[in-house]
Amino acid sequence: MHSADKKQNYMRSGIAAFVGAMLLIGMLFSHIYIANEYHHDCTGEECPICQCIAECEAFIEQISTGVILFIAIAAVIFAVSKTVQSFKGDFLSNTLVSFKVRLNN
Ligand SMILES: [Zn+2]
């Protein structure tokens, strides 16, 4: 039971780290692209590079709000799981104590 919990925790943090790394890389490349193409030879309104820059900017903005949301959700999940864990611990020690008392009597 406990080793399975641990495994799940490892998997969860592994997935979180992977997603975080991918988002960071995506953000980094978007920044690099924008920086590189900022002074491009603009062809006007239908410029594909401008459209790409706009997409990159939207992507960065989405990730920024997404990361804030993710951190908020992760904090809530962490707090809830901590509460559940301490509740479980209390329950377990209480049952063990009452069991011991019963044995002593
Ligand atoms: Zn342009």
Side-chain angles (χ1 to χ4, degrees):
M1 174 75 182
H2 272 281
S3 66
D5 278 356
K6 233 180 206 173
K7 217 177 192 177
Q8 225 175 22
N9 273 342
Y10 278 129
M11 242 172 74
R12 229 179 280 167
S13 50
I15 290 168
F18 177 76
V19 171
M22 292 312 282
L23 288 181
L24 270 179
I25 289 167
M27 251 176 121
L28 192 72
F29 274 106
S30 297
H31 275 295
I32 289 169
Y33 182 81
I34 291 170
N36 273 345
E37 302 296 343
Y38 199 72
H39 296 292
H40 61 278
D41 295 323
C42 200
T43 55
E45 249 175 64
E46 294 287 305
C47 173
I49 295 172
C50 277
Q51 278 174 12
C52 211
I53 288 174
E55 266 168 40
C56 284
E57 279 173 343
F59 176 69
I60 290 169
E61 204 175 300
Q62 263 177 10
I63 287 179
S64 304
T65 32
V67 164
I68 291 166
L69 202 74
F70 178 77
I71 289 170
I73 290 169
V76 169
I77 290 172
F78 182 74
V80 167
S81 70
K82 275 277 167 198
T83 312
V84 168
Q85 244 169 35
S86 63
F87 177 74
K88 255 196 218 162
D90 279 353
F91 181 72
L92 200 69
S93 55
N94 278 344
T95 10
L96 280 179
V97 165
S98 57
F99 185 66
K100 240 184 201 169
V101 167
R102 218 180 297 155
L103 280 183
N104 286 342
N105 286 341

